[in-house]
Amino acid sequence: MKTPYNRSITTAPQSIRTLCGIALLSMVLIGFSVRVYLLAAQSLWYDEAVSWYLTQMSLPQLTTWTAHDIQPPLYYYLLWLWVRLVGTSEYALRFPSVLFATLTLPLLWQFARRLLGTAGAWLTLLLALLSPFHVYYAQEARMYTLLTLLGLLSTCLWLRLLRTLYRAAPAPYHGLLPAIGYAITMAAALYTHYFAAFLFAAHLIAWAWIGWRHALSRSGERSGGAPRPSPTRAPFISIAVAALLVLVLYSPWLPFLIGRYAQDTSYWPGRLSIVEMARRLFLTFTMGETVKEAIAMQLAPGHGIILLISVAALLWAGRSVVRAAIPPRHKGNKSSASESGAPERPPADGDRFSRRAAPPLLLSCLIVPVALVLFLAWQVPKFNPRYAMLAWPAFVVILAGGLAVLIKGKPTNGIGKKWLPRCVGILAAAFVLSTSLYSLHNWFLPYRDNQFNKADFRITAQIVRERIKPDETVLLSSGHMAPAWAYYYGWEGWHPLPAIETLDVGAILDLSVGDRLAHILAHKRGVWLVRWQNEITDPFDVLPLWLSTVGEQDDYGQFWHMELYHYRLPSQMRFDLEHVITHPVRALVGGQIRLLGMRPRLQQCDSPLRISGVHGDGQRCMALALVWQAVAQVEEDYAVFVHLRDGAGIAVANGDHLPARPTSAWPIERAFPDQISLKLPPEMPDGSYWLEVGLYHPHLPELPRLGPVMLEPSGELQPGERVIVPIRVQGGQVG
């Protein structure tokens, strides 16, 4: 006779079930309150602004955009409909993520109850409710909580499908209805994010693992002399139908998935460290995004030990269920349990099947997506822990399940009746919850530490809007920030440089942007420069150099990852290269890189435009812009040496450094200003000096210099593989 699933629940008194429902509803409401608290406190950042930007398009335009973007369109479709009902405020844009995250909580409780029992389900819900990782992305207008919800729902349906298929005697097509439901949910997840394919792979691997273990348990039952049931193809038919239906539903979008990452220009070339990515992922899963690196590394060993203990306890509990499902063998296999008079054990279906399936299903749903995300990021060097958010539910259930085994005190062989495992479980749960509360404390005090704040486009745009004059304009140093800026400032009165719609690490500003500036700033008497992620699109600080050359900076501010400058402009401005280079050189170094000249000037070391980051309490520094130009493809990454020497040849200041962008990445025939700041000695007298400049191999022994160095057009070779430029310091000026 079969034991129905949740028999203890269905036969429980009505009052107990009512209290259970009230407790579940109360905890879900608490989870909702945590996720909606201070929802609009911080500014929208770039990714969220892109979500808003797409809602301003028509549906055909939105579809075309997402076909060429790194995320498919389902979340944007839902948000498009939502904003037409409630508007586009920060609160309204983020609320769907809160809703998806809140719906995940009761579903996660139900999923954990199937796999772990009641105690494990409540602990899972508590850990998820206070998870800083989940709360953080519940307050972001992006698709990650929808992806988590759909991924968890598909996993629940997959478990139900397997339970249906591996009953004692399933009908040939008994699992087709769950298979169809699973296919629809998984296809929806794939239309939300491409990485849902990794969870699909995890489900198939879990099915193979569970099927193998199920076959072993059945063979154990048959060894006692029970009649051998005829084999059935129902599991394979239903699984094949589910997989095929997923592909059919997703086939219209499949070509975009295949070609997407070959076209992505938003990452640096090279390789990322798998160990470093795994470390970041573990810290984020356990402590979220709002614990400082140094503190997180101190807490990480504790979380690692707790995770290992949880996995071991869960595997032990699953092993005990498998052993309990197999009848004892008698000598010679001559008699079965029924023949010996022992009570017949129920078949491995219902609740027992779910418990046996817990370790393979949870470990597959955790390890497979994480491993595939790390492997893809190693191949295509673009990574963020949120890309593996599909694995977060399995992580929480594993953690809670193992701790529940220890706390409940009833695992196999009575080991849980001892006080030590129970104390370990309670202390471990307290440690996890306390670190979660600490992380949430950091997150809900957004103006306490800038490290945890998002880029503040809101206050930056507000200041510019309040202070800008009719004869002034705005420059954005990263064109891809346009959606975020437009959300707060509007679409008029600003210019993106470079003019790119999405992040492109190859779109680097060089000095030729002066022609564009001449057109934009014609007849203007002032300009506001807004900088964000300028290390990507303006790593050489081309815009500040041009604007400080033709105008005068008179205002500066920083607003959480944003920089704001204001420049007064004269009536006549020149944007030619000769105006930037005050000391022309034109020397070819190693036949690969040309030094066109330099622009030295004196300033206070605490200037906000310093490049090297030196501070001097009012001490003078020499700001130096070296204008380089690659004349051929540079194969190696060179370092720059700069020595300031007095008339006697004694070094007064040194400035060895790596350029803002590796020399191997310099486009040919484009001029870049390599800017550094030399800290000058106190009371350095006026007089004649000379600058010694060149390139060298920073990774080779003895640091050999790149040569030969040849002056153009004379062809004269310079000794010592260096360029020597005489200068004169007089009255705070460099001539």
Side-chain angles (χ1 to χ4, degrees):
M1 179 178 179
K2 299 176 184 178
T3 303
Y5 176 68
N6 285 336
R7 182 178 180 182
S8 60
I9 297 297
T10 56
T11 59
Q14 181 65 33
S15 59
I16 295 179
R17 284 185 285 165
T18 302
L19 289 176
C20 181
I22 293 174
L24 177 61
L25 179 61
S26 300
M27 293 189 69
V28 170
L29 290 177
I30 293 173
F32 170 79
S33 301
V34 172
R35 284 151 179 77
V36 82
Y37 179 63
L38 295 178
L39 185 60
Q42 295 204 38
S43 166
L44 296 181
W45 75 293
Y46 167 70
D47 280 11
E48 295 179 287
V50 169
S51 299
W52 163 79
Y53 176 58
L54 294 180
T55 65
Q56 306 306 297
M57 300 179 179
S58 66
L59 286 178
Q61 290 174 325
L62 189 158
T63 304
T64 302
W65 171 284
T66 53
H68 298 89
D69 193 30
I70 58 175
Q71 279 98 22
L74 180 59
Y75 168 78
Y76 300 121
Y77 288 158
L78 298 177
L79 191 63
W80 188 91
L81 295 172
W82 172 259
V83 299
R84 276 150 182 79
L85 297 175
V86 300
T88 59
S89 67
E90 296 156 324
Y91 194 97
L93 288 169
R94 288 170 174 163
F95 190 81
S97 296
V98 174
L99 182 61
F100 299 139
T102 304
L103 292 175
T104 301
L105 297 178
L107 183 62
L108 189 59
W109 178 85
Q110 177 66 19
F111 177 64
R113 191 179 67 159
R114 286 180 180 271
L115 298 179
L116 309 176
T118 304
W122 288 113
L123 185 55
T124 298
L125 181 60
L126 181 60
L127 295 181
L129 186 152
L130 297 176
S131 169
F133 183 47
H134 197 236
V135 171
Y136 185 91
Y137 287 102
Q139 296 197 332
E140 188 166 285
R142 297 296 286 167
M143 72 290 299
Y144 297 106
T145 55
L146 173 61
L147 177 66
T148 305
L149 175 63
L150 291 173
L152 178 59
L153 180 58
S154 66
T155 304
C156 292
L157 292 173
W158 188 254
L159 177 63
R160 181 178 179 182
L161 174 61
L162 295 182
R163 287 180 61 247
T164 302
L165 296 178
Y166 287 106
R167 301 176 73 91
Y173 301 100
H174 195 71
L176 288 183
L177 188 60
I180 293 173
Y182 169 80
I184 294 173
T185 307
M186 177 52 66
L190 286 167
Y191 276 109
T192 302
H193 201 287
Y194 292 127
F195 286 178
F198 299 160
L199 186 63
F200 186 37
H203 290 163
L204 295 177
I205 293 174
W207 165 59
W209 188 353
I210 292 170
W212 173 71
R213 294 185 63 179
H214 184 79
L216 289 181
S217 66
R218 287 301 186 190
S219 65
E221 292 178 4
R222 292 193 297 269
S223 65
R228 183 184 184 94
S230 59
T232 175
R233 296 183 179 179
F236 302 97
I237 294 175
S238 298
I239 295 296
V241 168
L244 182 61
L245 189 54
V246 169
L247 295 177
V248 169
L249 293 175
Y250 197 66
S251 59
W253 205 260
L254 197 58
F256 303 112
L257 168 63
I258 295 173
R260 179 55 255 162
Y261 279 89
Q263 307 168 8
D264 194 359
T265 59
S266 62
Y267 57 86
W268 304 102
R271 296 284 190 185
L272 297 177
S273 168
I274 290 183
V275 174
E276 174 62 21
M277 290 188 292
R279 183 189 67 85
R280 283 187 58 197
L281 186 62
F282 179 73
L283 294 180
T284 306
F285 267 34
T286 53
M287 289 168 277
E289 303 274 6
T290 51
V291 176
K292 289 186 176 181
E293 181 85 2
I295 298 176
M297 288 303 297
Q298 294 175 2
L299 298 173
H303 281 282
I305 293 172
I306 291 172
L307 180 60
L308 292 177
I309 292 175
S310 298
V311 171
L314 194 64
L315 289 174
W316 183 267
R319 179 171 175 265
S320 69
V321 174
V322 173
R323 292 171 60 187
I326 302 177
R329 299 186 181 185
H330 297 275
K331 293 181 180 180
N333 288 331
K334 294 181 179 179
S335 62
S336 64
S338 58
E339 292 172 347
S340 63
E344 183 178 356
R345 297 178 182 269
D349 59 1
D351 183 65
R352 177 168 292 162
F353 175 82
S354 298
R355 303 291 178 83
R356 290 166 54 195
L361 181 61
L362 292 174
L363 290 176
S364 295
C365 291
L366 173 63
I367 295 174
V368 174
V370 167
L372 292 176
V373 166
L374 294 179
F375 177 76
L376 181 62
W378 182 69
Q379 293 290 325
V380 180
K382 180 177 181 179
F383 174 75
N384 192 291
R386 63 177 179 262
Y387 298 159
M389 198 166 180
L390 272 170
W392 172 80
F395 176 84
V396 175
V397 175
I398 289 173
L399 192 63
L403 295 180
V405 169
L406 299 177
I407 295 173
K408 190 176 180 181
K410 293 183 180 180
T412 294
N413 297 331
I415 189 172
K417 296 179 181 179
K418 299 178 181 180
W419 61 269
L420 181 59
R422 182 169 294 179
C423 289
V424 169
I426 293 174
L427 291 176
F431 177 81
V432 173
L433 292 173
S434 62
T435 56
S436 296
L437 290 172
Y438 171 72
S439 181
L440 291 176
H441 171 265
N442 291 339
W443 174 239
F444 288 127
L445 293 176
Y447 296 99
R448 178 169 175 252
D449 195 317
N450 295 353
Q451 181 176 340
F452 307 134
N453 292 335
K454 299 178 180 180
D456 204 334
F457 288 92
R458 177 170 55 196
I459 191 171
T460 307
Q462 178 182 345
I463 290 175
V464 174
R465 191 167 50 246
E466 291 174 352
R467 300 183 183 182
I468 193 169
K469 298 177 182 178
D471 58 353
E472 295 181 339
T473 190
V474 179
L475 297 178
L476 307 182
S477 70
S478 301
H480 64 286
M481 78 164 88
W485 186 256
Y487 179 83
Y488 289 106
Y489 190 82
W491 290 101
E492 302 293 333
W494 51 269
H495 304 272
L497 294 173
I500 54 177
E501 288 188 334
T502 57
L503 179 61
D504 184 353
V505 297
I508 310 171
L509 289 176
D510 60 71
L511 288 172
S512 65
V513 76
D515 296 335
R516 177 69 176 150
L517 289 174
H519 175 73
I520 294 173
L521 301 181
H523 311 297
K524 300 296 182 182
R525 294 297 175 264
V527 59
W528 293 86
L529 175 61
V530 181
R531 307 190 78 199
W532 173 73
Q533 288 194 347
N534 45 280
E535 69 278 3
I536 298 176
T537 55
D538 191 14
F540 293 98
D541 297 301
V542 172
L543 292 179
L545 177 63
W546 268 123
L547 296 177
S548 61
T549 299
V550 302
E552 180 181 356
Q553 178 193 331
D554 62 357
D555 201 358
Y556 167 78
Q558 282 187 316
F559 310 100
W560 294 284
H561 310 293
M562 307 285 296
E563 295 181 6
L564 179 63
Y565 301 86
H566 181 262
Y567 296 87
R568 292 196 306 268
L569 301 177
S571 57
Q572 299 294 326
M573 293 175 286
R574 291 175 50 199
F575 287 94
D576 52 80
L577 192 58
E578 291 74 17
H579 193 46
V580 173
I581 299 176
T582 58
H583 293 68
V585 175
R586 202 166 182 84
L588 186 62
V589 182
Q592 304 176 64
I593 301 175
R594 178 180 292 121
L595 178 62
L596 297 176
M598 60 184 65
R599 180 184 179 85
R601 67 187 188 278
L602 297 181
Q603 65 180 27
Q604 296 297 319
C605 289
D606 57 357
S607 168
L609 279 177
R610 63 183 181 275
I611 304 302
S612 62
V614 293
H615 297 266
D617 297 328
Q619 186 175 343
R620 288 194 308 172
C621 285
M622 178 179 289
L624 181 64
L626 304 172
V627 181
W628 300 97
Q629 182 185 54
V631 298
Q633 180 60 49
V634 182
E635 300 297 335
E636 298 187 41
D637 295 329
Y638 298 104
V640 180
F641 66 85
V642 179
H643 303 150
L644 177 64
R645 299 184 182 274
D646 60 16
I650 300 174
V652 175
N654 297 309
D656 289 23
H657 64 282
L658 293 172
R661 188 63 63 89
T663 55
S664 61
W666 288 4
I668 299 175
E669 298 298 333
R670 292 172 62 181
F672 296 102
D674 178 27
Q675 302 187 60
I676 62 169
S677 184
L678 302 177
K679 187 176 181 180
L680 304 179
E683 307 299 332
M684 189 184 84
D686 292 347
S688 297
Y689 297 86
W690 45 282
L691 284 164
E692 182 182 62
V693 181
L695 301 170
Y696 66 93
H697 300 264
H699 306 298
L700 295 180
E702 301 180 0
L703 305 177
R705 293 181 177 181
L706 178 64
V709 176
M710 182 180 66
L711 296 181
E712 296 177 325
S714 66
E716 178 184 353
L717 295 179
Q718 297 295 293
E721 287 78 37
R722 59 182 180 171
V723 179
I724 297 177
V725 180
I727 62 173
R728 181 169 182 80
V729 177
Q730 185 71 41
Q733 301 292 327
V734 180

